[in-house]
Amino acid sequence: MIRYTLNTRSHLLKVAPRVARQLATRPIHLSTTLIHGDDKDNRVSDVAPPINVTTTFRYDPNDLIPWSERENLDFMDKTPIYSRLGHPNSTRLESIFSEVLNGHAVIYSSGVSAFFAAMVHYNPKRLFMGQSYHGCRAIANILTRNYNVEQHPLEDIEKYAQKGDIVHLETPVNPYGTSLDISEFARRAHAKGALLCVDSTFAPPPLQDVWEFDADIVMHSATKYFGGHSDLLSGVLVVKDEDVARQLRDDRIYLGTNVANLESYLLLRSLRTFKMRIERQSENATKVVKFLNDNKGKFGNVLDKIYHSSLQTEPFVKKQLKGGYDPVFSITLKNKEQCKKFPLLLKYFHHATSLGGIESLVEWRAMTDPYIDQTLIRISIGCEDADDLINDLSAALNKLQDTN
Ligand SMILES: *Cc1c(COP(=O)(O)O)cnc(C)c1O
């Protein structure tokens, strides 16, 4: 069980020092943080945080300090100016994410804008990437096209990496849902003076705590599990150093990539139930994968391979995913024709891209990923009943098995 301690940005300063000391040393838990991590940001008496639509805020007549005299921009947490800089619900999100993700969190308009922000800030000359989200790869290609950033595979860290470079590791990796050894990549990156950035979108806490394995930067597409309802885009970067987080927020003002007003409200609302959803999704996926793996022989004409962390035997996998396995996995079918038919035979899985929502999805991955195996089907497990999902998949596979 990962435990979370209140950090210094909390409301503790307002309570008596003795009580504050007691509270500060008492760990609080993920489910409580998700609901109360932003209590200190309350501006009104409403229990549900208001949706703020305004882009601009009246200046406080008692706080007329010119921009040039501000030491940093933390004051905007209390007195926002313009929503591109920060707004009440982006502040609330950063309060919760800083606790939940155990570092200094900076919120963005999408996962790819979080990744881009990291590239702009750390400005690596060389970028080491393996299989990863095609959108992050596309950003790397833009950096290569415009600024000659070198791209290398993960195998070449020892050969080419230098101080200031970035090793970008996605684990569990899209679209397979299998895991890579974070400690091992941290060791290899650090030996060369490079930083390790981990895209942990597929296994947010409590499934995986990336810091335990020595990462330097953590990113999540909050569009996926944190959002969880397939109705918002957002992303988050987490760093260990508060000053780096401040610099990222400064850059974000001019990149124009802060999370939007309405999305931030939706994300805030989603976070309240995040722990219940992710745990259910993880349990469901583990059951579904076990069923498919145990019954693979029955679908011999259709089902080729199954990829998922729960099927990996390397000891590091259990250590990393100590809170449960990731809710996405992939299968390959015997041919492309079966891949076209399979999604249509399912009752409870929408045929659509994306993942992380409460509704289960399947995707014939060739529809959106130009680099992928043409017989790969990615499956994102939602919060339905696991047995209903198993029966649905099993019926579809049986139908294909009989028609071949
Ligand atoms: C979806 C995703 C992204 C990009 O996030 P957006 O919110 O769609 O911009 C990055 N990494 C992974 C692993 C993803 O699944």
Side-chain angles (χ1 to χ4, degrees), residues 110-113 133 136 170 174 199 201-202 219 221-224 233-235 355 378:
S110 67
V112 291
S113 59
Y133 184 73
C136 295
E170 191 176 300
N174 183 47
D199 183 340
T201 300
F202 273 46
M219 70 160 273
S221 165
T223 309
K224 311 300 167 49
L233 287 174
S234 181
L355 56 105
R378 186 177 72 182

Side-chain angles (χ1 to χ4, degrees), residues 34 88 123 152 203 205 244 251 320 328 334:
L34 290 165
N123 196 20
H152 297 286
V244 172
D251 284 353
Q320 276 179 202
V328 168
K334 295 285 184 188

